[in-house]
Amino acid sequence: MPDNGAQKRSRSFLLAVEDQEFLLRDEMRPFRFGMEYAKAEYALRDWGVRSTVVVFGSARVPSPEDAEARAAAAKTPAEKRAAKRAIEQSRVYEEARAFARIVSLRGGALAVTGAPRDNVIATGGGPGIMEAANRGASEAGAPSIGFNITLPQEQNPNAWSTPALTFRFHYFAMRKMHLAMRANALAVFPGGFGTFDELFELLTLVQTSKATPRPIVLFGRDFWEKAVNFRLLVEQGMVEEKDLSLFEVVDTPEEAWASLVRRGLEARPPPASSEPPLVAPKHRRQPERERMKAPVPKG
């Protein structure tokens, strides 16, 4: 009987899902893009995640534990100055941690089995402010999401996001889409280019009515008033006065929560286990308005 070993060893004989060389072809990019959407989408549905509160902020903000370790190890004047700054920055970490705990306890993330989970904390999944927010949610006993990204300097997921809801993306665009599409609210802590990119993209989507309004808070009045001169944008005619009402600047976790609720976020405390699943809340957002419209047939 003729030997068919060569045929079985041929790459063409692999199932398409087993052939990584095929999957990584340039022509397969649309399919990879779709798979990145579907993998996270189905996992979030399985967990009943209906809406999120997204937290952005610097990956470089240390935890109090890390800051104290730096201070203890500092020997040179430069190291001591850096350690002092780290201790000051760690206060922002604690504020993000406290804010995420408040949202998780009051927003609906602690739903009973089978009930939709609302206002689940979602972050970029990395260290710093992202870790702080995932940590606060975990300490409240709530699930939280980490939308990680593959970078040349590999980003490791923090240890506090729910493992089953810790994702990794290749495409920034798909990661941004998942961060935005369920977001009932946005809390932005001090950060760098990435934080500014995410903030201004969401502001642009809302400003241009590509996304429905949602409450946005910028955390840390001293930072934001120095980092961005929003009033100058109005004075120079670059944005309208009403555009500054798309967000509020706050200084404390409780102030941030109060702002979100005042601007439309629904507080949903966890139901008793005997209660039936939650009914769909009356969100300010109308996601159906964000979908692409079917073309109108020409008469």
Side-chain angles (χ1 to χ4, degrees):
M1 184 176 180
D3 179 23
N4 63 357
Q7 286 77 15
K8 289 184 175 181
R9 290 190 297 271
S10 171
R11 179 167 292 278
S12 64
F13 191 69
L14 289 171
L15 291 173
V17 295
E18 298 174 335
D19 190 348
Q20 192 171 61
E21 185 176 298
F22 165 71
L23 291 173
L24 294 177
R25 285 177 63 108
D26 185 67
E27 299 90 337
M28 293 299 293
R29 182 176 286 117
F31 298 94
R32 294 196 300 273
F33 202 69
M35 286 190 293
E36 285 210 337
Y37 169 79
K39 182 176 181 180
E41 174 70 14
Y42 296 157
L44 291 167
R45 288 186 188 181
D46 289 345
W47 271 71
V49 176
R50 181 165 54 187
S51 62
T52 61
V53 170
V54 176
V55 178
F56 290 130
S58 175
R60 303 183 183 189
V61 172
S63 67
E65 298 89 343
D66 289 341
E68 290 169 6
R70 292 186 199 181
K75 294 182 174 59
T76 68
E79 289 174 344
K80 290 179 180 179
R81 286 194 297 271
K84 181 180 178 182
R85 183 176 62 188
I87 289 175
E88 292 171 353
Q89 290 180 336
S90 70
R91 298 191 185 100
V92 182
Y93 179 106
E94 286 293 78
E95 289 163 349
R97 180 177 172 185
F99 170 76
R101 188 184 306 116
I102 290 171
V103 173
S104 298
L105 291 172
R106 304 177 191 175
L110 292 170
V112 296
T113 302
R117 298 181 187 272
D118 284 305
N119 302 318
V120 175
I121 290 293
T123 77
I129 293 298
M130 296 173 281
E131 175 189 294
N134 288 126
R135 183 174 179 178
S138 177
E139 291 169 342
S144 69
I145 305 163
F147 291 119
N148 294 265
I149 187 75
T150 298
L151 299 171
Q153 296 78 31
E154 189 64 36
Q155 175 190 308
N156 288 314
N158 68 65
W160 299 96
S161 59
T162 301
L165 299 177
T166 300
F167 306 103
R168 184 165 59 134
F169 293 87
H170 174 75
Y171 298 105
F172 262 112
M174 184 52 65
R175 180 193 190 220
K176 286 182 175 182
M177 181 174 173
H178 269 295
L179 280 164
M181 63 186 294
R182 284 181 174 81
N184 273 349
L186 183 67
V188 189
F189 287 77
F193 291 163
T195 300
F196 278 62
D197 173 53
E198 301 284 4
L199 167 62
F200 283 105
E201 179 158 349
L202 258 296
L203 286 175
T204 301
L205 289 172
V206 175
Q207 180 197 46
T208 58
S209 298
K210 284 291 187 180
T212 49
R214 65 209 65 192
I216 298 172
V217 292
L218 310 187
F219 202 101
R221 186 169 281 101
D222 185 61
F223 174 85
W224 288 106
E225 288 181 351
K226 292 178 180 178
V228 185
N229 191 338
F230 289 107
R231 177 53 54 185
L232 178 66
L233 297 179
V234 176
E235 293 172 358
Q236 295 292 318
M238 303 303 170
V239 301
E240 297 182 24
E241 181 74 34
K242 66 178 183 179
D243 293 330
L244 298 190
S245 67
L246 296 176
F247 60 88
E248 284 190 355
V249 184
V250 299
D251 278 321
T252 68
E254 284 289 354
E255 186 184 356
W257 173 254
S259 172
L260 297 182
V261 173
R262 184 174 64 254
R263 293 163 66 88
L265 187 72
E266 291 192 29
R268 302 191 65 83
S273 58
S274 60
E275 292 184 6
L278 302 175
V279 297
K282 297 178 180 178
H283 293 298
R284 286 186 61 206
R285 289 186 58 215
Q286 296 177 318
E288 63 276 4
R289 286 176 47 195
E290 299 171 20
R291 298 173 185 157
M292 291 182 65
K293 302 296 189 297
V296 179
K298 295 182 180 180

